[in-house]
Amino acid sequence: MGKSFDIQLVAVFLPKLLSYLHITLFILVAAMLLGLIIGFIIVLPRLYQVPLLNRLVIIYVSFIRGTPIIIQLFLVYYGLPEALRLLHIDVTNVEAIVFVIITYGLHIGAYVCEIVRSAVNSVERGQLEAAYSTGMTGRDAFLRIVLPQALGIALPNFGNLVISSMKDTSLAFSLGVMDMVGRAETLLTTNHFLEIYISLAIIYYAMCIMLERLFALSERRLLRHERKLSSGQVGGLHYDA
């Protein structure tokens, strides 16, 4: 049992946990960058229906979406070194945070792939045909017509992915990473469990609120450009969408 609850200790634990916030943010940013790279690469076989690669990507995305992130963490942490050992590559001295970032990057990449695929496919084909009729090249039509609309469609889902990934980073401590949750685990020796977890909840909740407002602002800006596109003007010419 913990000691008697003392709300004043929340103010004591908050700065101790916040001093490790940069580790949590580093994991999130690094994993998002890796995930974006992976997602934009593997979405190409999905968009262009490359026979074998498309099937492999479908299996990969299905596996990522169908298994818990904690299982994926352990699979990468214990499985990747074993696989690399077969190639005579020793990664035993690599820090656990690297495996955490790789795992979250692979996890995020699968979701980015589906977000981008669904967003691009949501753009009406008729708009592309109208763009081609005005003399646009495929590249110009994608950059000026498809991409702005796809971004507007994808942004809410991407924002949800960032927020959920930020919360999922709390599992990094299971591999010994000293992030905010890892620091909280060391503070549990004080036996003030409730105060520590309240402090953690406040920090994560505040981060979620800030991210939600940031993406809401970004979405409003994108929708402003979306309204300009929906007015029917492409490359200075009007067309019927």
Side-chain angles (χ1 to χ4, degrees):
M1 296 293 292
K3 295 181 179 179
S4 299
F5 178 74
D6 185 356
I7 190 62
Q8 294 182 356
L9 287 178
V10 172
V12 175
F13 290 129
L14 274 173
K16 294 182 179 180
L17 297 175
L18 283 171
S19 64
Y20 288 81
L21 175 60
H22 67 285
I23 303 296
T24 296
L25 293 178
F26 174 75
I27 294 172
L28 176 63
V29 172
M32 289 304 305
L33 290 175
L34 179 59
L36 286 171
I37 294 172
I38 294 173
F40 278 109
I41 290 175
I42 67 176
V43 76
L44 295 177
R46 297 284 282 134
L47 292 175
Y48 292 100
Q49 294 295 305
V50 181
L52 178 59
L53 292 179
N54 182 41
R55 176 56 56 183
L56 291 176
V57 172
I58 291 174
I59 295 173
Y60 164 65
V61 171
S62 176
F63 175 80
I64 292 296
R65 298 175 68 176
T67 55
I69 184 66
I70 186 68
I71 301 299
Q72 296 167 23
L73 275 170
F74 289 131
L75 284 175
V76 172
Y77 184 67
Y78 293 110
L80 185 58
E82 291 298 324
L84 292 177
R85 188 173 289 114
L86 298 176
L87 301 175
H88 304 289
I89 300 175
D90 185 12
V91 293
T92 54
N93 294 325
V94 176
E95 294 185 11
I97 192 172
V98 175
F99 295 99
V100 170
I101 292 171
I102 291 173
T103 303
Y104 284 113
L106 293 170
H107 183 87
I108 292 168
Y111 284 90
V112 168
C113 172
E114 290 303 291
I115 290 172
V116 173
R117 183 185 65 84
S118 61
V120 171
N121 289 337
S122 296
V123 179
E124 295 181 6
R125 181 68 184 177
Q127 297 190 39
L128 276 177
E129 295 173 353
Y132 294 148
S133 69
T134 65
M136 282 190 182
T137 64
R139 177 178 177 275
D140 288 339
F142 178 80
L143 292 177
R144 299 177 63 179
I145 304 302
V146 176
L147 185 59
Q149 296 184 72
L151 286 175
I153 296 169
L155 190 60
N157 290 329
F158 182 72
N160 290 333
L161 176 61
V162 173
I163 292 172
S164 64
S165 298
M166 185 271 295
K167 292 184 289 186
D168 284 343
T169 60
S170 61
L171 294 173
F173 85 97
S174 62
L175 298 186
V177 175
M178 187 58 67
D179 63 341
M180 288 193 299
V181 179
R183 175 57 174 155
E185 291 294 307
T186 66
L187 293 174
L188 291 178
T189 55
T190 62
N191 289 327
H192 288 282
F193 309 126
L194 187 56
E195 295 91 329
I196 293 171
Y197 288 122
I198 288 176
S199 302
L200 270 179
I202 291 172
I203 295 172
Y204 277 103
Y205 183 61
M207 291 171 64
C208 285
I209 293 298
M210 288 188 289
L211 287 173
E212 285 177 356
R213 292 185 177 180
L214 175 62
F215 281 106
L217 177 62
S218 301
E219 185 178 358
R220 284 196 296 269
R221 290 181 178 273
L222 278 176
L223 288 177
R224 181 182 61 189
H225 298 295
E226 173 81 9
R227 285 191 290 269
K228 291 180 181 179
L229 287 172
S230 62
S231 64
Q233 187 173 5
V234 178
L237 298 178
H238 291 276
Y239 68 95
D240 294 327

